Amino acid sequence: MRGYLPDYELRAPASVDEALETMAQAPGQWRPLAGGTDVMVELAAGKLPPGKFLSIWQLPELRGITLDDDHAILGALTTYSDVRDHAGMAAEYPMLVQAARESGAIAIQNRGTLGGNIVNASPAADSPPALLAYGAQIELASVRGRRWVDYRGFHTGYKQMGRQPDELLTRIRMPRTPGGAGALHDYRKVGTRKAQAISKVCLAALGRLDDGKVAYLRAGVGSVAPVPLDLVKTEAALLGKTLDAATIDAAVAVAEAEVTPIDDIRSTARYRAVVSRNLVRDFLTALAAGETGARVHD
Amino acid sequence: MSHVNVTLTVNGTEHTVSVHPMARLLDVLRTEVGLTGTKEGCGEGECGACSVFIDGVLTNACLVPVLSASGTTIQTVEGLEGAAETLGPLQQAFIETGGAQCGICTPGMLVAAASLLRRNPDPSDAQIREGLAGNLCRCTGYTRIVESVVDAARRMKEARS
Amino acid sequence: MPDGWVGRSVPRREGRDKVTGAAKYVDDLHVEGMLHGATVRSTIPRGKIVAIHYEGDLPWDEIVVATAADVPGANEVKLIQTDQPLLADGVVNHVEEPIVLLAHADREVVEKARRHVRIEYAPLPSVHSIDDALAADTVVWGTDNVFTHYTAGQGNVDAVWADAPHELSGEYTTGAQEQMYIEAQGMIAEYDPDAGVTVRGSLQCPYYIQTALCPLFGLPPDKVRIVQMATGGGFGGKEEYPSIIAGHAALLAYKSGKPVKIVYDRIEDVTATTKRHPSRTKIRSAFDDTGKLLALDIDFVIDGGAYITLSPVVLSRGTIHAAGPYRCDNVRVDSRAVATSSPPHGAFRGFGAPQSIFALERHMDRIADYLGLDPVQVRRRNLLQQGQTSSVGQTIDEPVDLDKLVDRALADADWVAKRKAFDEHNASTTGPIRKGIGLSVFYHGSGFTGAGEVHLASKAVVEATAEGRLRVLAASTEIGQGTNTIFSQIVGDAAHVPIDRIDVVQPDTAHVPNSGPTVASRTCMVVGNLLAQATADVVGQLQGAGHLPATWDAEQFTAACRAWYADHDALVGRANYQPPAGVHWDEKNFRGDAYSAYAWACYVAAVTVDTRTAEIRVDDFVAIQEIGKTVNPILAGGQIEGGVAQAIGWAVYEDVVWKDGRVANPQMTNYIIPTAVDTPPIRVAFLEPFAPQPVAKGIGELPMDGPAPAVLNAVAHATGVDPRGVPLMPETLMDLLTTQETAQ
């Protein structure tokens, strides 16, 4: 059952300022529409609530990847293909590149955007775990001004987030050399199939050992909670520790307690819990074994 | 909401259509422009039967509200290089190597294959499979689609040399 | 003929239209003045319809509305029985049962209107599993929920158990499977008081639809015309359900006097139309130390859904194939098709055989495991030989050499080396990756079962024009499998003319004779043979008139046609089906010659299992079969590869999630079919024909039978667990791995 088109309004503002102006006049009423890879799917399934949409796809101000001394800065309309094909991204942010490669197939990667992936707020989205692990910040703009906020903590509940009704997500930035030199980047998406899949569990973990002790650790997990989840307790349990078998066992137990997966049409809570545990263990084992750089899972 | 005028250049011809701005590009191409080669398989960007080029970029036409495509240049299977009286290497390869069976995924498959070969004229089997992962086929098991793309690449290479 | 067409990979004849976007499928057709139709369906599995309300701010006076009361004839979809109504009348028996039809010129208005038809129900209890159907605490069909019950076999299994050296039992399950043709179903209907009903659309069997529509409208066959358009895949899914869509569109056209198009979107197609029958098989077996089968007692049950539709014939094929290509003196197959409250399950490539073959081929590996023998060895001990009889008492007359088939498959798959290497790897590794290799051996009967072809009494016609062109008239549909091309090859050889002088007429009941449905792997073998005979009839007439010598070439053929037309108006060759001599099938006792030919196969799958995630990847697939004469190697190979991929999907990806009798995952994003990346290279070979004078056996369904057990046998080899059902999802396998780990 397709959506009933007269229920919807769509406008294409000529600039970000015009978009913000429109959003300010009726806060919360206008939903930005970027690549359409989520909204148009809901429309086709007859599940898109009637409403007003702002097509921002054709705003060049929201595109582009730049690297300055401190950050990689990505426009909200940066597509997965933009990420996938950017040499600088591959060198420093391999988990985000891997997430981009595994989001849909080429046509989706050409259209799906990082900004859209964030504000669509699906806990199963592929890029948020990587953005969490890389300590990303996001820029929210409104006629009242622009502000940078930590991405960690942005999602506050299922499909809920710390964005004001008149705010537009405009940019994303990540610190350079995340995790420091010699960090291990491990992105592992377990999906419904090998390609063009939606995740059942997705782990992005970034860690570094100094003198055998955990000097840095950040991990994001998808599809195991109402929001893309940060494993904050697991991180806290490991920082400064030597990664021996007992520590890994204990950390895996903490991680298992942190995830709150559910049964749905794609998988089961039990499977997701076991796989989360296994992926965290697998990452920590590799870290303990001295692996660095981007881990490759065929 | 009332209709708006949207201008698209499709296969080299400019069209101005009066449509709901949220109408899918897929429907506009099929009903307003009258090009039915672009197919609908799923309506949600999963099967790739509606693959077209928008300004040279491989896109699922079912996920594009037509207003977002305003002013763009679109190429469909009917306007693909080689879709002529004398078929091009890609089309010929799909017929002779067995890459088309029921034919419903074929237009999207050809557009996706053309996109791949533009980026990578000599792809490996694995690269072909990855490049076509967004185009579902239920007839072939993909073996002969992969072979068709290999065959097309070979024919194109011969034509260049 | 040294330069014959048969045996050559002639390019697909309609290929040009398909690669240029010119081919017209039903949704590509716009008829002037056409309305768009939509279907309002039940939201509950079973209950009485109390009231129907038409609500909302809608121009109801402009909207065409049809219900059961509007059906001019009998409100029955005629198939094997007539228990299924075209539109529910007072009661619904499954979720998504059609109740109200709507049509309007503006598609948006119809979309809105269907959201505003509110139906009040008084719910009735429903049945949602095979076990509940058999328990019959709630009866939803007949007196005991059993549509059909067969008993087949030979010997006396009950006499074997007491002295049997070994006994092994097992229960196996298979899930529903969605055909997931990429073109969703659709029809366009027109009604004219003089001409009657005309329907065009996406379909496999034009005469099935005509047969169904005649009683619905009280019209004779010549007033019901069915035309096939380009059809984007069928796999059985467009065998029987199209009669319903055609009936709906025709009813709206009848009521409105305007053309009506109904095209389903993906969600409607998956939730409302047929799936492969889920099954449950219990096998009790007796065997000796070498693995020689002494008895097979098989209890086979399939879930038919809410109406009987094709379930008896699906059950029949599953029953006949249940004991596999093995010699066993004592076999009992007790089989039932039962009713539940899901939409009717229906035709799907393989038609019951993949279900029972899965169970048996998994069981054969379990017997090998039990005895500590190689699974190949156990199968070899039992393979049918020429002159032996199958489990239904059919003597295998042709010189079968199944050992040779198995040899070739093992060689191509590098079985011995891989089996050894994987065993060593799995025994020594401390890592998460396990590797396995598994096989299956099976056969598939070509054409309708038993006397089915006799009852069909198919006809085919070949006409010659004055220019020496040949027109092929048959009801067999091109749905991707290559009908147009192989018919051209067969007729081209029979007339000794180039195939570009052959025109295969689009199936249209106004023009083509009833050559039967495009199902059961029968098109090439049965209808192809009829066309060869019809062409021979043309040749015979030309020769009888003295226009054509005993041997001739294409130019002489053209000249002969020209000469014929000097004093004739037409040149028509005809053929009617004649059963092969000496073939007998006893339907009542399920004994005799079940099929006139069998295709034989051995498939091998190699897999990797990641024990961290229980993900299964099929790395390599070898499919070796003997199919008699191969008409077109590329098309035949494409059939095998496509079937294998579809069966790998059934084995490890495609999980229909049911919620109260409704499919909960009806989208391509959540019903997962394999992509190009998930599908392994599929290595296909056709063995030299066993028979010296081979026929072209059916191949469409064969590749659906073997992959699921081969893949699961490989997973068992890789992991040591004992999976019993498909689809084997990672969630299930993880549970098995966890249980195994705990046990150790």
Coordinates of all heavy atoms in Angstrom, one line a residue, chain B residues 6-17 33 71-73:
Chain B
V6 N 8.4 20.6 -13.1 CA 9.8 20.1 -13.0 C 10.4 19.9 -14.3 O 9.7 19.2 -15.2 CB 9.9 18.9 -12.1 CG1 11.3 18.3 -12.0 CG2 9.3 19.2 -10.7
T7 N 11.6 20.4 -14.6 CA 12.3 20.1 -15.9 C 13.4 19.1 -15.7 O 14.2 19.2 -14.8 CB 12.8 21.4 -16.4 OG1 11.7 22.4 -16.6 CG2 13.5 21.2 -17.8
L8 N 13.3 18.1 -16.6 CA 14.3 17.1 -16.6 C 14.8 16.9 -18.0 O 14.0 17.0 -18.9 CB 13.7 15.7 -16.1 CG 12.9 15.7 -14.9 CD1 12.1 14.4 -14.8 CD2 13.8 15.7 -13.7
T9 N 16.1 16.6 -18.2 CA 16.6 16.2 -19.5 C 16.8 14.7 -19.5 O 17.6 14.2 -18.7 CB 17.9 16.9 -19.8 OG1 17.7 18.3 -19.8 CG2 18.4 16.5 -21.2
V10 N 15.9 14.0 -20.2 CA 16.0 12.5 -20.2 C 16.4 12.0 -21.6 O 15.8 12.3 -22.6 CB 14.6 12.0 -19.9 CG1 14.6 10.4 -19.7 CG2 14.0 12.6 -18.6
N11 N 17.5 11.2 -21.5 CA 18.1 10.7 -22.7 C 18.3 11.7 -23.8 O 18.0 11.5 -25.0 CB 17.2 9.5 -23.2 CG 17.2 8.4 -22.2 OD1 18.0 8.2 -21.4 ND2 16.1 7.6 -22.3
G12 N 18.7 12.9 -23.4 CA 19.0 14.0 -24.3 C 17.8 14.9 -24.7 O 18.0 15.9 -25.4
T13 N 16.6 14.6 -24.2 CA 15.5 15.4 -24.5 C 15.0 16.1 -23.3 O 14.8 15.4 -22.2 CB 14.4 14.6 -25.2 OG1 14.9 13.9 -26.2 CG2 13.2 15.4 -25.6
E14 N 14.7 17.4 -23.4 CA 14.2 18.1 -22.2 C 12.7 17.9 -22.1 O 12.0 18.0 -23.0 CB 14.6 19.6 -22.3 CG 14.3 20.4 -21.1 CD 14.8 21.8 -21.2 OE1 16.0 22.0 -21.3 OE2 13.9 22.7 -21.2
H15 N 12.3 17.6 -20.8 CA 10.9 17.4 -20.5 C 10.5 18.3 -19.4 O 11.2 18.4 -18.4 CB 10.5 16.0 -20.1 CG 10.8 15.0 -21.2 ND1 9.8 14.5 -22.1 CD2 11.9 14.4 -21.6 CE1 10.3 13.6 -22.9 NE2 11.6 13.5 -22.6
T16 N 9.4 19.1 -19.5 CA 8.9 19.8 -18.3 C 7.5 19.1 -18.0 O 6.6 19.0 -18.8 CB 8.7 21.3 -18.6 OG1 10.0 21.8 -18.9 CG2 8.1 22.0 -17.4
V17 N 7.5 18.6 -16.8 CA 6.3 17.9 -16.4 C 5.6 18.6 -15.2 O 6.3 19.2 -14.4 CB 6.6 16.4 -16.0 CG1 7.1 15.6 -17.2 CG2 7.7 16.4 -14.9
V33 N 6.9 10.9 -18.8 CA 7.9 10.9 -19.9 C 7.6 9.7 -20.9 O 8.0 9.8 -22.0 CB 9.3 10.8 -19.4 CG1 10.3 10.9 -20.5 CG2 9.6 12.0 -18.4
G71 N 16.1 19.8 -12.8 CA 17.2 20.4 -13.5 C 18.3 19.4 -13.9 O 19.4 19.7 -14.4
T72 N 18.1 18.1 -13.5 CA 19.2 17.1 -13.8 C 19.1 16.5 -15.2 O 18.1 16.6 -15.9 CB 19.1 16.0 -12.7 OG1 17.9 15.3 -12.8 CG2 19.3 16.5 -11.3
T73 N 20.1 15.8 -15.5 CA 20.2 15.0 -16.7 C 20.1 13.5 -16.4 O 20.9 13.1 -15.6 CB 21.5 15.3 -17.5 OG1 21.5 16.7 -17.8 CG2 21.7 14.4 -18.7

